[in-house]
Amino acid sequence: FRRVLFRSLNPQVAARVAGCFDVWTKLAEASKHKAHRELERLVRSGLSSNTHEIVQKAVEASTAVL
C-alpha cells in the first residue's frame, strides 16, 4: 500500500513526504530494524528520482547506525 501511495503522489509531494523518514533514529530497536527493511523496499520499488534519493539517504543512514 505504501509503495503504491508513493508512486501515485506527485513526485515533489512524495519527495517531501519521504523527508519524514529521518525520524527512524528515535524508534525502539525492534522498530528500527522494521523501518530499515521498509526503507529498503521503497528504494527498490521504482520511485521518482527525487524521492529515491531521499529514501536512499535514509537507508544509508540507517545502515550506518544498525
Side-chain angles (χ1 to χ4, degrees):
F1 172 74
R2 286 167 250 155
R3 284 171 263 159
V4 172
L5 174 65
F6 271 104
R7 280 186 256 150
S8 67
L9 289 174
N10 175 305
Q12 290 84 10
V13 173
R16 185 171 265 181
V17 170
C20 297
F21 292 136
D22 61 357
V23 299
W24 68 269
T25 58
K26 297 178 177 119
L27 300 173
E29 200 61 37
S31 296
K32 284 181 187 179
H33 290 285
K34 290 178 184 177
H36 179 77
R37 282 194 306 268
E38 287 300 317
L39 289 170
E40 287 179 327
R41 283 185 191 174
L42 279 173
V43 166
R44 294 188 306 265
S45 69
L47 301 169
S48 71
S49 60
N50 290 343
T51 306
H52 182 272
E53 180 181 351
I54 292 168
V55 176
Q56 181 64 40
K57 286 181 182 178
V59 168
E60 290 168 2
S62 66
T63 301
V65 173
L66 294 175

